[in-house]
Amino acid sequence: HVQLVESGGGSVQPGESLRLTCTFSETRYCMGWFRQLPGKDREGVAVMDSLGRTKYADSVNGRFTISKGNKKTILLLEMHNLKPEDTGVYYCAGEQYGGCRASAAFGVWGQGTQVTVS
């Protein structure tokens, strides 16, 4: 059973930066970050496949960067120029099959980490 653990959330002021880390117990073909903003459905933020190809939501493109850490089992999300509308719970997820896109059915999820921008 694949386990994911997120860390790095916190409270920052607008314009500041945060880095989220997700540690997978096993690497997955497709790994991504999602978020649930207050009162809204969970949405995709960024995904990366095993070849390093990435896709971003329009709302974060140019401000957020998804990458692998020094191990293939570590997924990072660098968030810059944070805005109050980025406030929410951020989740990492992984999927082994199918296309790597935010709309895919990800099979394993982390517990979430809170990001507050105010």
Side-chain angles (χ1 to χ4, degrees):
H1 179 64
V2 180
Q3 294 182 320
L4 288 64
V5 179
E6 299 111 336
S7 61
S11 296
V12 296
Q13 295 184 346
E16 293 186 340
S17 301
L18 276 176
R19 184 174 74 172
L20 304 183
T21 301
C22 181
T23 302
F24 286 64
S25 59
E26 298 176 23
T27 189
R28 299 282 95 182
Y29 163 68
C30 182
M31 302 160 83
W33 288 97
F34 296 76
R35 66 185 182 184
Q36 187 160 19
L37 308 181
K40 296 187 177 181
D41 293 335
R42 189 164 57 193
E43 63 182 20
V45 174
V47 297
M48 171 181 274
D49 68 14
S50 59
L51 297 178
R53 295 174 295 195
T54 59
K55 296 177 183 176
Y56 293 91
D58 289 343
S59 59
V60 306
N61 201 13
R63 298 188 299 123
F64 291 11
T65 302
I66 188 172
S67 64
K68 296 286 183 67
N70 56 3
K71 297 180 180 180
K72 293 181 179 180
T73 54
I74 295 177
L75 186 69
L76 305 175
L77 185 68
E78 300 275 357
M79 304 184 293
H80 299 289
N81 190 23
L82 282 161
K83 304 175 180 180
E85 52 263 43
D86 294 316
T87 295
V89 181
Y90 284 68
Y91 301 87
C92 59
E95 178 54 39
Q96 191 63 10
Y97 305 103
C100 191
R101 54 190 181 277
S103 58
F106 281 72
V108 290
W109 292 84
Q111 80 286 355
T113 186
Q114 177 71 41
V115 171
T116 301
V117 186
S118 65

